[in-house]
Structure formats: C-alpha cells, structure tokens
Amino acid sequence: MPLSQSNIRHIPCSRKLCRNLFGRVDHEQLQNDFRDLMRRHLEEAQHRWNFDFETETPLEGKFQWEKVLYTDISPACPPSQNLLHHPKGSDVEKNQRSPALKSSTKNLHVALSSEAVEQGSEASSPQRLKRKQTSIKDFYSSKRRIVPCKPNL
Amino acid sequence: MELLCCEVDPMRRALADPNLLYDDRVLHNLLTIEERYLPQCSYFKCVQKDIQPFMRRMVATWMLEVCEEQKCEEEVFPLAMNYLDRFLAVVPTRKCHLQLLGAVCMFLASKLKETIPLTAEKLCIYTDNSIKPQELLEWELVVLGKLKWNLAAVTPHDFIEHILRKLPLPKEKLLLIRKHAQTFIALCATDFNFAMYPPSMIATGSVGAAICGLQLDDGESSLSGDSLTELLAKITNTDVDCLKACQEQIESVLVSNLRQVRQQQQQSNPSKMVDELDQASTPTDVRDINL
C-alpha cells in the first residue's frame, strides 16, 4: 500500500450493516432543526457572554468587554511577529474569533481556510509553535462586574 | 516515487505509559472528575417524547456493529454512547434523527481516539445513505455545542489497567481478562440502565464479572466471591453492595444478550440446536463464548 494512502481505512462496509434504522429522513426538517439549534446556541452564548458573536460587538451585561491590541496579549511572543501575521482588523483575525459560533457553514469554511493560509505563511518560522491559540478573550478582555455563574463543565 | 510500506499495520498506537499507569494520582483524578461526564438526567422520562428505550438499544447495537466492523479502538463505542446520552439528556430529538446522532457521535469519538478516524462518507454509507455527509458535519457542530466541547469524557476503559495491575492475576490470563472486561463494558454501553452509573463502577464490575466468569479463583483465594468484590471495591472506592449489584446486573445482561443471539441463530438455522445456555451456571460461564 502506498504510504500516501495509508491514512485511510480500507475496510469495506458490509451490506447487512448498511441500514436505515428509523425510516425516511426528512432532510428539510433536519435542516430546519439544525438552524434552530444553532440559532439558539448563538443566543445562549450571546446571553452568557453579553457579546454579539455575529457582529462581533460587546453588549450590555455582567461582563465589560474592552478592545485590546493583539500585541498586548502574549508577552511570550515577540510583538513584531504578531504584527507581521496579524495586522489589526484583518479578515484573518475577524474570522478566527468565533468560527464555532457562526451559524452559517459558509462563514465556517472561510474561517477554516483563512486559518490554513495563515499557518502556511508561518510554517517557516520556528516561533510559530510558541504562539498560543487565539480566542475571543485575546481580542477583548473581559472584566466581571458582578459575580457571574461559573461556566458549567 | 511512492514509498511502499506493506508489512506495517497502518494503525499506530502509543505504548502504555508506566508513568501514567503506576501513579495513583491518575486514578484518583479520574475518580474525581468522572461524574462530570455523566448524562444529566434519565432522559426518557423528562426530555424525550419521540424516542424510547428500545430505539436507543437499536441505534447502540448498530453503532457497536459498525465500530467492530471498522476495527475501531475499544473506547470509541462507549465514548460515542456517552456523547449520545449527554446530548439526549438536553435536546429533545426526533426518532428519525437518532441514527444521524449516533453517526455523529461515532464520528467525534473516532476522531478523538483514533489515528485513522472514520470518515463522514463511510458513516453515511452505514446509514444506507439516509443522511448526507454535509448533514453529518453540520450536526457535528450542534453536538459539539451541546456537549460544550467537553469530548475527553472518562470512560470505563480508562480504569481497566489501573484495576488490573492491583489484582493478583496470573500473567498469562491478563489478555483474556482484559478482553472479556472490554466486552462487558461494550455490553453495558448498549444498555440504558448503565448510562447513569459512574464509569469506575462499570469498569470494576466488568473486571469482576470477567474474573468470575473465567473461574480464575482456583488457586487464589483472594480472587473468589466476596473477597474479590471487596478488593475491587477498595481500588475504585466503590460501595461493596453497589458493586455487587452492578456485577450481577452485568452478568444478567450478558445472559439475556446470549439468549437473544441464540434465538436469532435458531431462527436463521433451526437445525442447529444450541444447548450451551443450560450448562452455564451463575456466574455465567463465558469461557466458551467467542465474545
């Protein structure tokens, strides 16, 4: 087997196991349920963090969001590198913030592909490994005004 | 030029790490965090309207068969069932979407635990193409959100080595005991009665059932009956009576499962009479059964 194919399972699916257990799947209903659940998920996140993840803007609530410069957040990383690869306000940065919360899959693809491009451009730099993963808190710092409920595990 | 690599098993596995297995802090931490990953409620009563216990069993059996055919790592199936139960405990789900959910859970568990994970396309084929890969990927996101991205759940498999190394077991029997315990764990995962039990209890009960079933107590008195149960209970801090009940429950699930299999065999091949079941005494004799 060529090495390039070795990361694929070559076990065929036996016919008797290929079965539809609970009858016809209504794809339209499935899509509606999916949209509904994603929308509710987004609303819950928005409520919990008082942050509008679709427009990327802070809202009124128990957290006070402050915009921070990317260069402020990881002292372990030389600022020059951050500036080089994360020009403020670039599309890369915007899309990286909350790919999981985007309700449309189109956005998700953009987010994933921009990440891939970015990784490629940094591939030659050994310091890439040191960069910590970006999260929403890397772009806005949050301060708790009142004691918030602890995020459930 | 492509390199040929014919002799090596493409599945790469890490070796067991003695630093993790021979350190009681690991066991202690597993025991501390395991409850976090249990489903929040008995969801057939309080959440689900469309889904009934027999449907969970149907989808679980199908998932187990797929995992077995695809030679998934042992922990993939119980982990996928953990995701399924945790999702169903919070999201009312339609019956016709249950198989999709099962496929998504296998997809996630396989990605977490395997070097060569199951593909979305393959899983869709197993549903007889009743779902599309795109739908599987979309629902993956939904499930991840509902599980709060907490995928590294503790499963009974995490305890097996910790338990086995503390028992005075003959070395040559270890492989068989492990295999049987793993089978019991899979059996428990198909049965909703075990869904709310802590993984450590299922692991302890499964090892107990495996040792009793293999009748290893001949020369070693600490491996027989009550003294084994006490020894096991001490290892995972489980209540002795709970553990006893759990082990008995596991054994009875095995018996009823074997009975079912036999009935199916007889239906498909009535001339072949099977009478092994009558010979099996309690604890169930599992030595002759090809689990």
Side-chain angles (χ1 to χ4, degrees):
Chain A
M1 181 171 53
L3 200 61
S4 58
Q5 286 172 24
S6 64
N7 58 351
I8 304 167
R9 275 174 202 249
H10 289 284
I11 304 169
C13 313
S14 66
R15 279 199 65 83
K16 74 173 174 62
L17 262 183
C18 298
R19 47 183 198 250
N20 178 355
L21 298 178
F22 304 106
R24 204 178 67 82
V25 175
D26 184 338
H27 296 279
E28 204 173 311
Q29 191 182 56
L30 191 68
Q31 189 63 31
N32 288 341
D33 285 0
F34 165 69
R35 289 215 189 96
D36 193 42
L37 280 165
M38 286 311 280
R39 187 182 46 75
R40 284 215 306 254
H41 181 54
L42 204 62
E43 281 169 7
E44 278 166 26
Q46 178 171 323
H47 180 73
R48 186 170 152 202
W49 297 104
N50 57 271
F51 192 91
D52 187 333
F53 289 94
E54 276 178 311
T55 58
E56 309 277 335
T57 45
L59 304 167
E60 268 302 305
K62 61 189 174 190
F63 291 104
Q64 192 180 351
W65 294 93
E66 284 172 27
K67 205 158 191 166
V68 290
L69 290 174
Y70 192 83
T71 45
D72 296 344
I73 50 142
S74 54
C77 218
S80 59
Q81 197 197 341
N82 285 332
L83 282 171
L84 195 62
H85 297 291
H86 298 276
K88 252 209 67 47
S90 73
D91 285 340
V92 171
E93 196 179 285
K94 257 186 192 160
N95 281 317
Q96 265 194 336
R97 282 179 203 163
S98 57
L101 289 162
K102 300 275 188 193
S103 53
S104 93
T105 44
K106 198 179 156 214
N107 278 341
L108 189 71
H109 287 309
V110 173
L112 291 173
S113 64
S114 65
E115 237 171 24
V117 167
E118 182 212 34
Q119 279 188 357
S121 68
E122 281 185 37
S124 56
S125 158
Q127 275 160 338
R128 182 173 75 96
L129 296 171
K130 282 188 193 164
R131 212 194 79 218
K132 67 170 195 164
Q133 192 181 343
T134 52
S135 71
I136 185 70
K137 287 185 190 156
D138 293 344
F139 301 100
Y140 285 96
S141 65
S142 77
K143 286 179 184 166
R144 284 168 187 196
R145 280 181 190 155
I146 52 169
V147 181
C149 41
K150 208 178 156 198
N152 295 325
L153 275 167
Chain B
M1 188 187 80
E2 284 198 304
L3 291 169
L4 285 173
C5 174
C6 306
E7 307 107 294
V8 187
D9 180 358
M11 292 292 180
R12 298 255 170 209
R13 284 183 190 80
L15 297 170
D17 185 347
N19 292 313
L20 295 177
L21 289 177
Y22 299 150
D23 190 331
D24 276 343
R25 286 179 302 171
V26 176
L27 177 61
H28 180 79
N29 287 341
L30 284 169
L31 289 168
T32 313
I33 62 166
E34 65 173 344
E35 306 250 343
R36 289 183 202 169
Y37 301 98
L38 292 178
Q40 292 302 303
C41 62
S42 183
Y43 51 77
F44 292 117
K45 282 183 199 140
C46 54
V47 183
Q48 303 299 335
K49 294 192 188 90
D50 206 12
I51 294 176
Q52 289 174 41
F54 81 88
M55 298 172 189
R56 181 192 183 274
R57 188 185 295 274
M58 273 172 77
V59 77
T61 309
W62 169 76
M63 287 162 71
L64 178 59
E65 286 172 344
V66 170
C67 286
E68 279 176 349
E69 182 165 281
Q70 289 300 314
K71 299 191 166 49
C72 290
E73 298 292 329
E74 290 288 341
E75 55 256 83
V76 171
F77 170 64
L79 189 61
M81 288 309 294
N82 172 273
Y83 298 163
L84 183 109
D85 287 328
R86 281 163 61 202
F87 184 85
L88 290 178
V90 285
V91 184
T93 305
R94 291 174 214 275
K95 179 182 84 174
C96 57
H97 298 170
L98 185 58
Q99 194 174 14
L100 166 65
L101 177 62
V104 168
C105 293
M106 279 193 280
F107 190 49
L108 287 170
S110 173
K111 281 206 268 187
L112 192 78
K113 291 288 177 184
E114 302 196 277
T115 42
I116 303 174
L118 297 167
T119 60
E121 289 75 16
K122 192 163 251 178
L123 284 165
C124 289
I125 293 171
Y126 275 119
T127 69
D128 202 18
N129 292 308
S130 63
I131 55 166
K132 300 172 194 140
Q134 179 60 32
E135 290 169 332
L136 192 100
L137 297 181
E138 285 173 353
W139 280 83
E140 182 186 24
L141 215 52
V142 173
V143 174
L144 280 168
K146 288 293 167 191
L147 299 182
K148 301 196 166 87
W149 291 76
N150 281 325
L151 294 194
V154 178
T155 72
H157 287 281
D158 295 320
F159 293 98
I160 293 294
E161 295 308 314
H162 289 280
I163 297 169
L164 289 181
R165 79 171 187 90
K166 294 196 172 177
L167 297 173
L169 296 167
K171 268 218 170 71
E172 71 278 6
K173 297 281 187 194
L174 259 181
L175 211 67
L176 195 61
I177 296 169
R178 190 181 292 123
K179 176 101 191 354
H180 281 208
Q182 285 171 342
T183 306
F184 284 128
I185 290 170
L187 209 57
C188 291
T190 58
D191 194 315
F192 183 67
N193 292 320
F194 295 92
M196 316 278 284
Y197 287 7
S200 61
M201 183 147 86
I202 293 173
T204 321
S206 295
V207 172
I211 293 171
C212 287
L214 292 165
Q215 292 170 3
L216 296 175
D217 50 355
D218 295 347
E220 182 68 53
S221 63
S222 63
L223 287 179
S224 64
D226 287 348
S227 51
L228 173 67
T229 313
E230 270 167 42
L231 189 59
L232 284 168
K234 219 175 274 171
I235 296 173
T236 49
N237 286 332
T238 312
D239 179 76
V240 175
D241 292 330
C242 283
L243 180 59
K244 247 184 216 164
C246 177
Q247 188 176 324
E248 278 163 20
Q249 213 174 335
I250 293 173
E251 283 159 357
S252 74
V253 169
L254 176 72
V255 171
S256 71
N257 258 51
L258 289 175
R259 194 171 290 144
Q260 250 176 4
V261 170
R262 296 237 161 77
Q263 274 170 359
Q264 282 164 4
Q265 277 176 352
Q266 281 177 344
Q267 275 163 10
S268 60
N269 189 2
S271 63
K272 196 176 159 193
M273 280 302 290
V274 195
D275 60 351
E276 289 154 61
L277 193 65
D278 301 330
Q279 293 168 5
S281 57
T282 311
T284 316
D285 190 338
V286 290
R287 285 172 300 179
D288 310 321
I289 301 156
N290 186 13
L291 298 165

